[in-house]
Amino acid sequence: MGAWRRTAAAGGKRTGSGASVTPATRSAGASIQALAARTRLHRRAATHTCAPPACCRDRRCGTPLPLAPARPPGRRRGGGPGAARRRPLGGPPPLGAHGGGAAPGPPRSAAAKWEAYYDREQPPWDSHRPASQLVEFLTSCTRCEPQLPAGADDANSAAALAAAAERGGVALPPQAPAAGAGPPPALHACAGCAGTKPPRGGAVLEAGCGSGASAAWLAAAGFAVTGIDIVPRAVAAAAAGAARAGLPPDNPRFMVHDVFDAQRLADELPGGGGFDALYDCQTYHALRADHARGAGDTLPALLFRLLRPGGLLLLLAGNAAEPAAGGPAALTAHELLGPLLGAGFELVQLQATRFDPTPHYEAAFGRRPLAWWLVARRPAAGAGGAAG
């Protein structure tokens, strides 16, 4: 008892081991901890650059993360004495710009992961305009012909075509106007492009439609458009945007739907033959990392089956030639092209480009991330190359 009185009188506190902690001891310990923390921070900062204005995504540079809401009293986080009084040390796992990497922390459902991006004022990839590459392809003369005949040696041909694409330059189409801004889009048609453009009024599926700017533009151009996304808030925003653009309530149609379950949508089309075109901006490269569903192996064949014979895959994906930490998932030309050719597609066009500008890209990277624009075709009936 005498020892307790002495340490209490000196402003100290008696520990369970019998030792006492005075203010001077406590101050020295805090200084040592602060010095160690600064040392760890400087070591990590040498190899890490945070991308403002977002919080640090991998907890290296010391940028504060938002605190999670406190748990209700009496709710235990884990076993052991005092567990109910513990407070979370940080918020939910930090999101990469594009889900390009696995975030630390417990796994969440795919819908919840992407829903979190819509908690922001504007998702990092969303320009609120149709993709400039999509618009240029459909409104200009491309005179592209399939570069790989069906039944050719896919592995060797893929390597050669990928190498050629990586040696090519970077094409930057002009930014496209939003749907409803100006006259309806004028689609291009000529004999040289007929086999590599979707037919006027054809059925188009947008996988991962987000807030729907590209789907709305396609509908305004006269296509019958279905936009799917697993995030209800994105689908609601897409429907509202189409209504503001003055589009009819049934075109484009938006629905909360998983692309892995989209075969039913293709089967419901007249004749059950599949879509005339499938458009995707930044969904394919994210889904390839969905190892739980084996997406890397199954996704190319699924996209093949969703298209009718002669149908087109129009795809924008990240380009690994210029990786950006925290940016979109990125693929080499061969990583993008090889699985698609193996599924039965024939290549029409593969071009390096850049994603359209967004406020996040400007703030985080100071430039638009490098991308691939790919056009591939399911061979016409009788040409072979069908995926199983």
Side-chain angles (χ1 to χ4, degrees), residues 264-302:
R264 177 179 62 82
L265 302 178
D267 295 340
E268 290 174 351
L269 293 171
F275 290 94
D276 295 290
L278 191 158
Y279 168 66
D280 158 42
C281 178
Q282 303 204 44
T283 299
Y284 179 84
H285 67 201
L287 289 179
R288 283 184 80 253
D290 189 345
H291 301 297
R293 292 188 281 187
D297 299 324
T298 62
L299 188 57
L302 169 64

Side-chain angles (χ1 to χ4, degrees), residues 313-327:
L313 173 65
L314 313 174
L315 190 149
L316 274 164
N319 188 327
E322 187 183 279

Side-chain angles (χ1 to χ4, degrees), residues 3-351:
W4 174 259
R5 290 196 191 97
R6 283 194 297 272
T7 55
K13 179 179 178 182
R14 188 171 180 84
T15 67
S17 62
S20 63
V21 180
T22 65
T25 307
R26 189 160 47 241
S27 176
S31 299
I32 293 172
Q33 291 176 350
L35 177 60
R38 286 197 299 272
T39 302
R40 289 193 298 270
L41 174 59
H42 289 311
R43 286 175 180 168
R44 293 173 177 174
T47 58
H48 172 74
T49 301
C50 192
C55 291
C56 180
R57 299 183 183 90
D58 53 11
R59 305 175 188 244
R60 290 187 183 181
C61 72
T63 305
L65 294 170
L67 288 177
R71 292 175 181 270
R75 185 145 170 216
R76 289 177 178 264
R77 187 180 179 185
R85 298 190 298 274
R86 291 194 193 106
R87 184 175 178 175
L89 296 178
L95 292 170
H98 301 267
R108 296 176 291 164
S109 71
K113 172 185 174 181
W114 296 106
E115 181 83 39
Y117 285 104
Y118 287 85
D119 291 337
R120 310 178 184 188
E121 182 177 349
Q122 182 175 344
W125 60 83
D126 196 346
S127 68
H128 293 314
R129 292 172 180 265
S132 57
Q133 295 82 2
L134 173 70
V135 172
E136 182 183 57
F137 178 76
L138 293 175
T139 59
S140 63
C141 183
T142 52
R143 291 191 177 273
C144 295
E145 288 297 329
Q147 302 176 45
L148 179 65
D153 185 338
D154 292 345
N156 292 333
S157 297
L161 293 173
E166 289 177 336
R167 290 193 301 267
V170 177
L172 297 176
Q175 193 168 9
L187 299 177
H188 173 79
C190 72
C193 296
T196 55
K197 299 285 178 72
R200 290 180 181 272
V204 178
L205 174 69
E206 181 176 3
C209 64
S211 57
S214 291
W217 185 90
L218 288 164
F223 294 103
V225 182
T226 300
I228 61 173
D229 204 293
I230 59 173
V231 179
R233 197 182 310 180
V235 171
R244 287 194 300 271
L247 295 170
D250 60 344
N251 189 32
R253 62 170 184 159
F254 296 103
M255 60 183 68
V256 178
H257 203 91
D258 191 330
V259 68
F260 288 97
D261 298 323
Q263 187 63 53
R264 177 179 62 82
L265 302 178
D267 295 340
E268 290 174 351
L269 293 171
F275 290 94
D276 295 290
L278 191 158
Y279 168 66
D280 158 42
C281 178
Q282 303 204 44
T283 299
Y284 179 84
H285 67 201
L287 289 179
R288 283 184 80 253
D290 189 345
H291 301 297
R293 292 188 281 187
D297 299 324
T298 62
L299 188 57
L302 169 64
L303 300 182
F304 187 93
R305 292 193 303 271
L306 291 175
L307 292 167
R308 65 165 179 81
L312 294 169
L313 173 65
L314 313 174
L315 190 149
L316 274 164
N319 188 327
E322 187 183 279
L331 304 171
T332 66
H334 193 272
E335 288 171 337
L336 175 61
L337 188 55
L340 294 172
L341 296 182
F345 283 102
E346 52 190 17
L347 178 65
V348 174
Q349 183 181 15
L350 181 59
Q351 174 70 57

Side-chain angles (χ1 to χ4, degrees), residues 98 124-125 282 328 355-367 369:
H98 301 267
W125 60 83
Q282 303 204 44
F355 292 116
D356 288 331
T358 72
H360 174 81
Y361 290 157
E362 181 62 30
F365 313 122
R367 60 184 176 184

